[in-house]
Amino acid sequence: MKFFLDSADLAEIAELASTGLVDGVTTNPSLVARTGKPFLALLEEICRLVPGPVSAEVTATDLQGMLREAARLLEVAPNVCIKLPLTREGLQACRALSDRGAKVNITLCFSPAQAILAAKAGASFVSPFVGRLDDVGHDGMQLIADILTIYRNYPSFRTEVLVASVRHPRHVVEAARLGAHVATMPPAVLRQLLRHPLTDKGLEGFLADWAKTGQRIT
Ligand code: E4P
């Protein structure tokens, strides 16, 4: 399972990329706006911090505008992945860009029907938003299960399921149990995955006992 960071915060990305656990990054216009930085320069920095795909979202809503913005974003770095909304124009742009060999992440997916369209349009990734579905009383993880079942029926579908809008470690664990290809998570969730009180307690005990021996390893 690949881990992407859902963030545009350079300090957070740099810190967590240094753990070796981060395979890519997803950004969106809201995350970029939060940084207050110019998008293209920020994207270039992020692409330098992680070797894997960095999703950069277009803001045009018409086909030609999307393609123009995508062309500019693709100039920034070889690991840019174009993020397009799950609209008719987004799917048309996805087909055009995928045919030219660009990586595309189709975002704002909320139904199995939409995920089928993303795969048919040749997307590299589809991003179902589990947290936002849970927020409105639906079952986000059921959507992941449905999409994976459908995609497995059609080996010609190459689209990877990128679980997005992740709110807590349980979303990541459930996504892994289902076999999702990628989870993109806020930095706080990646840190939470690491922690367990029994690990801290256990380590404290081991180190206390070791100190009593008066030994050193080096
Ligand atoms: C995915 O690529 C999106 O950036 C993100 O996961 C949206 O999450 P949110 O619902 O927490 O805004």
Side-chain angles (χ1 to χ4, degrees):
M1 183 189 212
K2 283 173 273 192
F3 277 8
F4 289 179
L5 271 185
D6 199 25
S7 175
D9 183 313
L10 285 174
E12 297 262 50
I13 296 169
E15 183 218 312
L16 290 167
S18 73
T19 63
L21 296 168
V22 176
D23 302 296
V25 168
T26 52
T27 67
N28 64 43
S30 305
L31 292 170
V32 172
R34 216 174 287 161
T35 69
K37 296 190 172 149
F39 183 30
L40 296 181
L42 179 66
L43 179 61
E44 197 176 342
E45 287 291 309
I46 297 173
C47 287
R48 250 190 242 130
L49 292 173
V50 287
V54 175
S55 288
E57 191 159 340
V58 302
T59 53
T61 53
D62 64 299
L63 176 59
Q64 289 314 320
M66 284 178 176
L67 292 175
R68 266 196 306 276
E69 290 188 3
R72 181 66 192 94
L73 294 169
L74 287 168
E75 285 172 358
V76 171
N79 54 333
V80 166
C81 172
I82 301 298
K83 206 175 189 190
L84 298 164
L86 211 157
T87 59
R88 180 191 173 119
E89 293 76 11
L91 293 174
Q92 282 176 281
C94 176
R95 170 47 67 205
L97 292 165
S98 301
D99 284 350
R100 287 179 219 152
K103 272 196 184 310
V104 175
N105 173 2
I106 291 286
T107 191
L108 291 166
C109 173
F110 292 96
S111 76
Q114 290 181 316
I116 294 170
L117 297 182
K120 283 195 67 68
S124 302
F125 303 103
V126 65
S127 293
F129 277 35
V130 293
R132 292 194 193 188
L133 278 170
D134 290 352
D135 289 347
V136 295
H138 289 248
D139 183 349
M141 276 302 147
Q142 187 55 52
L143 174 60
I144 302 301
D146 289 344
I147 297 172
L148 287 166
T149 301
I150 292 166
Y151 281 9
R152 283 176 188 140
N153 287 339
Y154 297 96
S156 62
F157 284 177
R158 289 290 155 78
T159 307
E160 295 190 25
V161 178
L162 194 171
V163 179
S165 188
V166 161
R167 302 268 199 265
H168 45 69
R170 245 184 36 248
H171 274 149
V172 180
V173 173
E174 271 307 304
R177 206 195 303 278
L178 292 169
H181 307 85
V182 193
T184 188
M185 62 202 83
V189 173
L190 182 49
R191 292 194 186 97
Q192 278 176 293
L193 282 171
L194 190 75
R195 282 191 214 117
H196 197 288
L198 289 180
T199 303
D200 297 341
K201 193 168 171 235
L203 184 59
E204 209 180 296
F206 288 154
L207 295 181
D209 290 339
W210 180 251
K212 286 179 214 152
T213 71
Q215 298 184 59
R216 290 175 63 127
I217 294 173
T218 55

